[in-house]
Amino acid sequence: MKPAPFAYQAVPSAKDARAYLASPDAKAIAGGQSLGPMLNLRLARPALLVDIARTRDLRGVLEDGDVVTYGAAVTHADIEDGRVPDATPGWLRNAARHIAYRAVRNRGTIGGSLAHADPAADWVNIMTALGAMVLISGPHGDRSISMEQFILGPYATALAAGELISGVRVLRRSAKAQWGYAKFCRKEGDFAQASAAVLIDPERGEQRIVLGAIERAPACIPDPEAFLSGRLSADDVVAQILPERDEASRALHAAMLEQAHAMAFGGAVK
Amino acid sequence: MTQSTTLTVNGARVSETIEPRTHLADFLREKLNLTATHIGCEHGVCGACTILVDGQPVRSCLTYAVSCEGAEVVTIEGLEHDPLMAKLREAFSRHHGLQCGYCTPGMLATAYDLATRIPDADEARVRLELAGNLCRCTGYAGIVAAILDVLAQGPHVSAFTSQWRECAEPGALAPVLSHGATTTVQSAPALLPSSDSVDLTGGTKITRSVTIHADADLVWKILSDPWQVAKCFPGAAVSQVSGNRVDGALTVSAGPIRTSFAGRAEVLYDAATRTGEIRGIGDDRGGRSRAQGMMVFAVAPAAEGASQLTVDITYKLTGPLAQFGRPAIISAITSGLLAEFARNVAILAAGKEKLKTSLMRQVWYTLTAFLQPRR
């Protein structure tokens, strides 16, 4: 299908984006790889699209000591190809490579992925597992909130009217940190039906395990130690966190958790 | 609503006045008569419309032409005399890499990128890279063989320099990206799991309990008035109340999706125990989907002048919407809706006129219709 009519404005800076986003029924678009299908299917009918894909101050990465801030309009391909630094020992680059398809990654952006908040999206789950902060720029100034606070549910975020994601801030992780991320897709590039991420960072004393693609905000498990020490099996963890899902789905999530765990402990990285 | 846009297509400068909603594939086919770019699914899944923009493969159905101002667009027509494309064409032909030909322009654009970007790709990698281009004729065997054949003749160089959108220097980024002292950045603590207790026997059942910061008698007074309930419940509107029958509608949305349900409910109250029951049914516009449900609710006094509202919901969905009716989604959204309902009841009980604007508006999933059966 073709989209319903909309007005279009490309903007050169985040400030200009904010000015246009103040108008009613305006929607920011970056790569348009998630919003595009919704527009084409006429499920979304904004009056105005504010194109931030070429917004200069949202395209790039700011490194400040231990903190790396990715501009919202950085594409998946920018990360995949290493055109921007990776805050981790290659984890982001590897994950980017498996987001949808190359033609999608060339336009799709990290900020757009978070704003769309599809529960199956890679960055939604990975950034939650990394404890990332979302930078938000809006009519009442700038703020930053954690991923847990940012994702409210399927397609739902803490972005208020007129607000825009300016970037996402992640802590650097050294080679001493362990990481695994696994997702189950019917075919490469398809939406994940189950995903899991495991982070163990001894330097920061952080352990985080996230179950994703669950059609609500990613679930951080409350006691990662219980699983990591072997006291609880992956099946136990999934049964505890996702009691509402059917057996087949729980089995998929448990398998992904095991896979992510194995990867964190030296298993082959896909 | 038209806009003038200028871009380069197959080496020629093109200036057209178009509607912003025109995607690049339509622009090429309808405005420029370049029909080698095929349109399949039109939502980014099939890959038939893949072309090169600034030297990189993109989905032309998910790329609006106005967003390509100044870009260099290359279609299969523009690669007619390209030496690498000549090899690919020949190899596709020799290895039977096409039958009906519908996917072929997209396959060739993807193959062109693959041959220049990943010169050492093996069969597994080639198959991986082709995941975003669907072919329903060949079973891919011929396509993969053709690409491997061309790779073996390499290395190849793309005739187009990839023009990555420029990344800004830190100086340009700092004003926007450095807000908030970096010292305050910490990894957020892990979230507690939700204590959902959803039972899936027969209909889907959800139990929730929220604290309302208002006296139980006041809360009960609001709950026993359907007009007041609608005022507090996000998206609900009551059109008529007669006896214990309530007519109305519920507008629900999820992200950019929005729909409206109309229906009727029967409401029973027991003031002595401060409990009630709502039973109802509602249809969406066009009557394609139906939500049926029952909600049992109870108000009890809680500490410090607050009260506790407990609801048990059982619902069933049929029709097209049912395929989205995943319990996990509804469960999460119910919590959000009830939290906002609780806030609004508290505000109303406190006698404040203006109810909090719905922060959770974006959260309502289409299926929350069951929460407002037959309103």
Side-chain angles (χ1 to χ4, degrees):
Chain A
M1 264 174 77
K2 318 295 180 191
F6 53 75
Y8 171 90
Q9 183 67 49
V11 292
S13 76
K15 195 177 159 201
D16 294 301
R18 277 201 308 272
Y20 283 105
L21 286 172
S23 57
D25 249 347
K27 179 112 183 108
I29 186 167
Q33 302 301 290
S34 299
L35 183 57
M38 285 201 169
L39 290 167
N40 286 7
L41 293 168
R42 297 199 178 192
L43 291 171
R45 300 169 179 230
L48 169 68
L49 282 187
V50 182
D51 188 349
I52 59 160
R54 297 184 199 210
T55 299
R56 223 180 118 69
D57 47 10
L58 298 178
R59 275 203 49 76
V61 172
L62 202 59
E63 295 180 271
D64 182 6
D66 233 11
V67 173
V68 181
T69 307
Y70 292 84
V74 166
T75 64
H76 314 314
D78 287 336
I79 296 171
E80 176 186 16
D81 296 350
R83 274 187 300 282
V84 295
D86 190 333
T88 68
W91 309 340
L92 300 184
R93 212 172 153 172
N94 189 58
R97 190 177 135 189
H98 294 281
I99 297 173
Y101 319 111
R102 178 70 184 181
V104 169
R105 299 196 290 271
N106 280 329
R107 289 185 70 84
T109 66
I110 190 165
S113 170
L114 297 180
H116 190 67
D118 189 306
D122 295 273
W123 294 136
V124 166
N125 293 300
I126 289 169
M127 289 300 153
T128 301
L130 290 176
M133 302 288 286
V134 182
L135 306 191
I136 296 169
S137 163
H140 308 296
D142 295 335
R143 61 188 180 117
S144 59
I145 60 175
S146 70
M147 278 297 295
E148 281 95 330
Q149 294 167 305
F150 180 74
I151 304 286
L152 301 180
Y155 309 129
T157 69
L159 278 180
E163 283 190 326
L164 175 76
I165 295 180
S166 47
V168 59
R169 189 169 282 168
V170 295
L171 288 172
R172 259 187 226 286
R173 305 284 172 179
S174 80
K176 284 182 192 146
Q178 288 159 300
W179 167 261
Y181 173 67
K183 60 174 174 174
F184 179 83
C185 305
R186 290 283 295 273
K187 80 173 184 41
E188 171 75 14
D190 207 350
F191 286 106
Q193 295 181 344
S195 70
V198 172
L199 169 75
I200 303 145
D201 188 342
E203 286 175 315
R204 297 187 193 283
E206 258 182 80
Q207 293 183 340
R208 200 177 281 104
I209 296 178
V210 167
L211 299 179
I214 50 175
E215 290 125 9
R216 55 181 159 101
C220 290
I221 75 168
D223 182 11
E225 188 56 35
F227 171 70
L228 295 172
S229 67
R231 203 147 32 86
L232 288 183
S233 70
D235 287 331
D236 297 337
V237 170
V238 171
Q240 213 176 71
I241 306 293
L242 309 174
E244 75 278 11
R245 299 190 77 89
D246 62 35
E247 215 173 317
S249 170
R250 286 205 303 266
L252 274 186
H253 279 88
M256 291 306 103
L257 177 53
E258 275 164 8
Q259 210 171 304
H261 182 246
M263 200 185 286
F265 286 90
V269 174
K270 259 206 296 188
Chain B
M1 216 187 302
T2 58
Q3 204 160 320
S4 147
T5 194
T6 304
L7 58 160
T8 305
V9 177
N10 298 334
R13 204 165 170 76
V14 176
S15 224
E16 292 279 351
T17 300
I18 52 170
E19 282 192 89
R21 63 171 166 162
T22 312
H23 60 61
L24 199 47
D26 272 345
F27 177 78
L28 294 166
R29 293 176 57 87
E30 307 295 330
K31 283 275 179 189
L32 307 181
N33 279 328
L34 294 172
T35 53
T37 300
H38 291 173
I39 297 175
C41 70
E42 243 176 350
H43 58 275
V45 173
C46 76
C49 70
T50 307
I51 59 170
L52 302 178
V53 175
D54 289 336
Q56 311 152 51
V58 305
R59 298 284 202 241
S60 58
C61 74
L62 293 186
T63 304
Y64 297 106
V66 285
S67 75
C68 295
E69 181 73 33
E72 190 190 339
V73 173
V74 176
T75 68
I76 293 304
E77 289 99 333
L79 292 163
E80 197 181 344
H81 304 295
D82 182 276
L84 170 55
M85 189 50 81
K87 288 194 180 89
L88 283 166
R89 264 198 314 267
E90 199 272 326
F92 266 63
S93 171
R94 190 168 60 245
H95 291 279
H96 193 72
L98 68 154
Q99 184 175 304
C100 83
Y102 204 84
C103 72
T104 311
M107 284 289 179
L108 288 172
T110 298
Y112 192 93
D113 170 63
L114 178 51
T116 51
R117 189 168 53 88
I118 318 170
D120 57 349
D122 58 7
E123 185 188 331
R125 184 69 193 270
V126 169
R127 286 184 175 274
L128 196 78
E129 294 292 326
L130 288 179
N133 291 75
L134 302 185
C135 171
R136 301 289 90 149
C137 298
T138 65
Y140 301 92
I143 298 170
V144 173
I147 294 173
L148 286 171
D149 188 341
V150 171
L151 279 169
Q153 301 167 39
H156 305 286
V157 185
S158 170
F160 312 95
T161 16
S162 283
Q163 297 157 35
W164 303 106
R165 286 178 193 152
E166 194 185 0
C167 278
E169 292 304 309
L173 298 168
V176 174
L177 295 185
S178 65
H179 72 74
T182 48
T183 48
T184 64
V185 177
Q186 297 161 356
S187 291
L191 253 195
L192 288 173
S194 78
S195 55
D196 300 355
S197 52
V198 178
D199 182 2
L200 287 177
T201 47
T204 305
K205 216 178 150 180
I206 299 176
T207 300
R208 279 289 185 288
S209 184
V210 283
T211 305
I212 300 179
H213 295 285
D215 179 77
D217 286 329
L218 270 174
V219 171
W220 178 251
K221 210 176 138 197
I222 291 169
L223 286 185
S224 29
D225 179 352
W227 297 96
Q228 302 273 51
V229 169
K231 231 165 145 183
C232 296
F233 205 95
V238 166
S239 57
Q240 195 185 326
V241 180
S242 86
N244 59 359
R245 179 164 287 183
V246 181
D247 292 348
L250 177 72
T251 305
V252 287
S253 61
I257 304 169
R258 189 168 297 191
T259 189
S260 196
F261 273 74
R264 170 163 294 179
E266 271 188 283
V267 190
L268 299 170
Y269 292 108
D270 182 358
T273 55
R274 292 203 199 95
T275 56
E277 192 182 305
I278 303 175
R279 217 176 254 277
I281 186 161
D283 291 335
D284 70 350
R285 233 180 343 194
R288 293 187 308 162
S289 299
R290 166 165 289 191
Q292 305 174 66
M294 183 176 94
M295 176 160 96
V296 177
F297 58 93
V299 181
E304 291 167 23
S307 47
Q308 196 71 21
L309 169 66
T310 307
V311 293
D312 288 300
I313 298 161
T314 311
Y315 75 93
K316 216 171 199 174
L317 286 162
T318 45
L321 270 176
Q323 63 187 297
F324 297 105
R326 287 165 293 201
I329 294 186
I330 291 173
S331 172
I333 287 156
T334 306
S335 299
L337 282 170
L338 281 178
E340 191 174 1
F341 180 67
R343 270 198 304 274
N344 287 339
V345 169
I347 291 166
L348 201 66
K352 286 174 197 160
E353 272 301 294
K354 222 174 158 188
L355 289 180
K356 197 164 176 175
T357 332
S358 170
L359 275 179
M360 293 297 294
R361 203 169 37 150
Q362 288 289 309
V363 180
W364 313 335
Y365 200 69
T366 319
L367 304 152
T368 53
F370 70 89
L371 278 174
Q372 287 293 295
R374 280 300 182 200
R375 272 281 149 76

